[in-house]
Each structure stands twice: as structure tokens, then as C-alpha cells.
Amino acid sequence: MNEFKPQPPRIASMLLQGILPHNVRDDICGDLEEEFNRYILTEKGVVRAKIWFWGQCLKTCTRYLMTTPRLLSFLAIFMTVLMLAALSMSILFMSSGIDDEYIISQSFWLNGRVHQLFFEPAFWSLASEIFGGDFTLASFIDVRSVLFSMTALCVLRRLDNKFDYHITNYIGLGLCIMLAPYVYGYVIFQVNDLALKQAGPLIAFMLLPIMYMAGPICFGAIKKLNRHTRFQ
Amino acid sequence: MANKQSYLGEFEHLVLLSVMVLGADAYGVSIRRHLKTVIDRDVSIGALYATAQRLEKKGLITSRKGEATPERGGKAKRYFDITADGVGCLKQTRARLEQMWERVPTLFTLREY
């Protein structure tokens, strides 16, 4: 005769399977299932046993989700996405031809301090207009920036393969390489007296490499962080 | 010189004692039940495994895979065994705690606090 036997909640089990690291996944899932079947069902009854399993599942998942490497990875991805959104907005603003006299008249377009754009509330108030307008992928492509970024990423990768940098050194070096065109552009603005027409391509070269390199460098750092955690 | 790794945390101490008491049957479920029965302490399974991993890294316990049973959904148990270093560490911790307690004159004095 087939006796009906209550099982642990399927979704909770799937959640545990998905979130727990592989080295403890089977141990913890097996222990909880055994405890559920052998003790909790008889001690508490079906409904309370299922509630107990959910409680254990949430407590365990929270513990393993809130580990420092996972939080740092999440923070790195979050910061990178924010940075990419802000940079995309600035590039689209420049290529869209939106005539906002207040922003266009600002001195940072000609003195190299382009980052000040991101501190202008007027710029952020144009967000819907900028992202709502027509734009093409070509706005984000600049041959000089592509070449620089590809070369820089290759150099970073080769150096990392050779010296196997610690994660902090890798991030430091990555940031230096990523910000190099910005510093270069700033120096050019300080040394030369550029007209607004000449400033455009230089500003694109200051910002676009950051856009191209932020993702790969973030990915590399997270990979390093995970490897570092595994070997600890 | 004092070695940080030679000191046991309170929960590490409890887990290590449980592993020693349970002997060959020390695994996640039995350790949790033991702590609940003996000192009425509900321990989260995540905390238990994190501590066990730490103890294993310190060389105070070892772990091995056991049998898989249907009531575990076909998943194998992970048994823990205490090492000679683990026993030594427990003895040392007990001696240190006893030295500390010896300096508390009487229970009557303790009550004044």
C-alpha cells in the first residue's frame, strides 16, 4: 500500500539548492530533509513542520547570501551599472543635440572637468528627454576609444596572467588604466585653449573608454574575489 | 607567544564538545539535536556548518562523507571526527576556564553581582 508522506516544501528546497555553495549544498539540504522527515513531522505536525522548513530555509539562505564576497560582488555590479547609466546619459546628451543653454554654457566643457556635469541637477532633470529621444549605437562608438580600451584590457590581462595580482592591486591597476584617458584629456584641456567644436571628440575619448572598460574590469575583479574566497 | 588560533570561541567550543560526545555519529542533525537537548540551544544549520568548516581549517576536526538515505532525499551525510589537536585544544580551553573560575572566590560573591 502506498502511504502518503508529506514532503518538505518544494520551492524552499529549490531555493536552498540554488543559493547554497556547492561544498555544503548536499550536506545542509540532506540534514534539513532528514530532520523534517524524522523529527519535525512527528513533533509538530504537517503544517507547522512545513513552516519550520521554510524558516530554516530563509535563515540559511540569508546567511549564505550575506557573505562578504557576495555583498562586494553585488556592490561592484551595482556601482558599475550606475556608472554605465550615467556615462551613457552624458554621451547621449552630447550626441542628441538637446539645447539646454544652462548646461551648454557651463565652463566644464572647455576646462576638462567634465565630471562636474554629473553634479548638475539640471543634467539629471533631462534624463527622460535624453533616454526618450532617438539614438543609435553609433553614438557610443569612437574608434580611438575602442582601440585604446582593447589595448589596455589586453595589457591588463597579460600583466595579470604574468604577476597574478592580488584583488586590490588588480582593481587599482584597472582603475588607473580606465581613468588614464580622462587624465590625458584633462591635461590637454589645461595645456591648450580648445574651441567647443574641438572639445567634443576629446570629451568622448575621456568618457567612452571608461564605459568600455568598466564592465570587463568589474567582471575580472569579481572572478578574482570568488577565486580568492574559494582558496581561503 | 599567544596564538589566536589556539583559542576557541564559545560556539566552536560547544560544537567541538558535541563532536567529541557523539563520536562516530556526529553529523549536522545529531549535533543540532544534541545542543537542543542538552543546553536548549537552537542552532541554525548555516552557523553550524560555518563553524565546522572553521574548525576543520584549524585542524581540530575532520569530515567524511557517509551514507545516503531516502529520508535525506538521497543525499549523503557529512560526519565529523575530532582530531588529537581538537582534543588537546578542548583540554587547554577547559584548563583556562577552570583557572578563571578558581579566581572567583565563592558563589556567594558571584551573587553580589
Side-chain angles (χ1 to χ4, degrees), chain A residues 76-91:
Chain A
I77 293 170
F78 182 72
M79 297 293 286
T80 307
V81 170
L82 268 187
M83 197 165 70
L84 289 177
L87 287 168
S88 308
M89 200 170 136
S90 65
I91 299 290

Side-chain angles (χ1 to χ4, degrees), chain A:
Chain A
M1 197 174 79
N2 260 345
E3 202 181 316
F4 170 74
K5 184 134 197 266
Q7 295 295 314
R10 190 183 290 263
I11 298 174
S13 299
M14 282 164 60
L15 210 63
L16 285 167
Q17 290 281 346
I19 289 172
L20 295 178
H22 72 279
N23 58 337
V24 290
R25 189 180 299 147
D26 277 2
D27 306 331
I28 290 181
C29 290
D31 280 356
L32 287 178
E33 271 189 55
E34 181 184 332
E35 213 169 340
F36 176 88
N37 287 318
R38 193 192 275 189
Y39 303 105
I40 309 295
L41 269 178
T42 43
E43 285 170 7
K44 296 179 189 271
V46 179
V47 177
R48 286 182 64 200
K50 290 201 175 200
I51 294 171
W52 172 88
F53 195 92
W54 265 110
Q56 295 293 320
C57 162
L58 293 178
K59 254 197 269 181
T60 313
C61 288
T62 311
R63 181 179 187 95
Y64 279 94
L65 271 179
M66 294 295 152
T67 55
T68 314
R70 285 206 187 194
L71 283 178
L72 285 176
S73 303
F74 176 76
L75 193 70
I77 293 170
F78 182 72
M79 297 293 286
T80 307
V81 170
L82 268 187
M83 197 165 70
L84 289 177
L87 287 168
S88 308
M89 200 170 136
S90 65
I91 299 290
L92 287 174
F93 173 77
M94 286 189 284
S95 61
S96 65
I98 293 173
D99 267 343
D100 187 286
E101 268 184 44
Y102 174 73
I103 295 180
I104 290 173
S105 64
Q106 293 299 310
S107 59
F108 52 70
W109 296 115
L110 293 171
N111 64 14
R113 296 190 180 105
V114 190
H115 59 271
Q116 287 176 347
L117 172 70
F118 301 110
F119 298 102
E120 281 295 341
F123 169 68
W124 295 105
S125 66
L126 291 170
S128 60
E129 211 175 320
I130 292 171
F131 285 118
D134 289 334
F135 56 84
T136 58
L137 208 60
S139 315
F140 294 100
I141 295 171
D142 172 59
V143 177
R144 198 161 49 144
S145 305
V146 171
L147 286 176
F148 174 83
S149 305
M150 282 174 69
T151 314
L153 286 172
C154 284
V155 169
L156 182 64
R157 195 183 157 85
R158 291 200 75 158
L159 283 174
D160 188 40
N161 282 344
K162 193 170 177 188
F163 298 110
D164 193 21
Y165 291 122
H166 184 266
I167 182 160
T168 44
N169 294 342
Y170 179 83
I171 292 173
L173 187 62
L175 283 175
C176 287
I177 290 177
M178 200 164 71
L179 294 175
Y182 192 91
V183 175
Y184 164 79
Y186 179 76
V187 172
I188 296 290
F189 270 113
Q190 297 304 310
V191 174
N192 302 300
D193 198 10
L194 297 178
L196 195 58
K197 209 173 175 182
Q198 295 167 300
L202 188 56
I203 291 173
F205 181 65
M206 290 165 78
L207 299 181
L208 280 170
I210 302 176
M211 262 189 88
Y212 298 153
M213 289 192 274
I217 289 174
C218 174
F219 177 73
I222 290 173
K223 229 169 89 176
K224 256 184 186 298
L225 184 66
N226 288 336
R227 205 182 59 180
H228 178 72
T229 315
R230 254 204 314 278
F231 286 121
Q232 242 184 0

Side-chain angles (χ1 to χ4, degrees), chain B:
Chain B
M1 211 173 111
N3 175 11
K4 196 185 169 193
Q5 286 210 332
S6 70
Y7 291 101
L8 281 179
E10 189 250 358
F11 190 52
E12 287 177 337
H13 192 177
L14 290 175
V15 172
L16 208 51
L17 278 172
S18 305
V19 171
M20 190 160 84
V21 169
L22 292 164
D25 192 40
Y27 70 106
V29 176
S30 62
I31 296 172
R32 253 155 68 96
R33 302 296 296 185
H34 180 74
L35 289 171
K36 177 73 187 160
T37 315
V38 179
I39 55 166
D40 194 25
R41 182 153 166 183
D42 267 319
V43 173
S44 90
I45 191 94
L48 177 61
Y49 273 92
T51 306
Q53 280 181 328
R54 206 163 47 242
L55 290 173
E56 200 170 356
K57 224 180 271 176
K58 289 181 182 179
L60 304 180
I61 59 171
T62 55
S63 74
R64 62 193 153 85
K65 279 278 186 188
E67 74 279 14
T69 57
E71 67 180 353
R72 297 177 59 84
K75 295 168 192 88
K77 289 177 184 175
R78 179 172 292 282
Y79 286 108
F80 300 105
D81 299 298
I82 193 162
T83 61
D85 280 353
V87 176
C89 195
L90 273 177
K91 281 182 185 165
Q92 207 177 30
T93 307
R94 182 179 178 167
R96 280 176 187 152
L97 283 173
E98 278 172 354
Q99 279 171 3
M100 291 299 288
W101 276 106
E102 276 165 17
R103 278 162 177 73
V104 179
T106 58
L107 278 175
F108 178 75
T109 318
L110 196 66
R111 245 182 243 152
E112 286 174 356
Y113 290 95

